[in-house]
Amino acid sequence: MIRNLDLDLIRTFVTVADSGSMTVAAHLLHMTQGAVSQQVKRLEEQLDCPLFVRKTRKLELSRQGEPFLVKARQLLKLNDEIWADMNAQPLRGSLRVGVPYDLVTPLAPALKAFAEAHPHVDVSLACAASSEVGEALDAGRVDVALVESVAGEAEGDVIRIEPLVWVKGRDSVAWQKRPLPLSMVDERCAFRPLVLGALADEGIAWRTVFESGNIEATAATVRAGLAITAWLASTVPADLETLTPHLAGLPSLPQFAICLRLPASAPPSAQAFARCVRETMPQEVASSGRIAKIA
């Protein structure tokens, strides 16, 4: 017997899974909370298994829900791509892109390719820390987002995985000082808790030299030799240097994933932009900064 899945139910399920809340999902889907709850229940009945574990403050995926979410995303992606291909019309309107400060430059080729392919779409960037960008996507304030997260905790479409590295200015000896002078982009930076945790594990005292939402200002303090910082390997400017942790007496830092995130009901412009990102951001990581020689 042929049985067909209801894509509306699946889209609702993915939105609930992404937001962790029936209420938020209802807002994003322009439905009542009761309708969202009923659709999830219908899907669970069709599949004959629970998809969520209901907890006090948040819904969590069940053991069956976790693998189903992966396939549900694939199904929606294919559905949306087919519709986009079969109804190819010049895209118009606006597109809001959420991106962390350090990924604006790596994102430039995708922005250029999208602008050339879809000249009637007005693109605007919302730059913030990854956690804030993710919140903006969940709340519907941006249409598509790039976020950074620890590789083992990545959510969405992983574009690539690369190392987090220590960075210093040329001829700078700031890495030798104690407390270690640090310059971070801001308090909500995805790297900050991992960097500080790694230093704490090694018993290395540190002090903050500068914290701001402006990555160029952070880079300026590093160039001036006032501090060191931690960035993704591919985002290190060519005039700065990366430190080899064991030679510099610094802890190794974890791998980070650059993830592309779309809402379950992503507009065609967001889907087109996502394709530009996948095509222009290579999976191979090329570090642009020099490796410092330590005497």
Side-chain angles (χ1 to χ4, degrees), residues 103 106 160 162-163 165 231-237 258 284-288:
L103 294 184
R160 69 171 178 237
E162 59 181 277
V165 296
W231 282 336
L232 294 180
S234 67
T235 67
V236 179
I258 297 176
E284 296 296 325
V285 179
S287 178
S288 51

Side-chain angles (χ1 to χ4, degrees), residues 219-254:
T221 62
V222 175
R223 287 190 177 95
L226 300 178
I228 67 171
T229 191
W231 282 336
L232 294 180
S234 67
T235 67
V236 179
D239 64 327
L240 298 181
E241 298 178 335
T242 61
L243 288 159
T244 304
H246 71 276
L247 295 179
L250 295 170
S252 296
L253 298 174

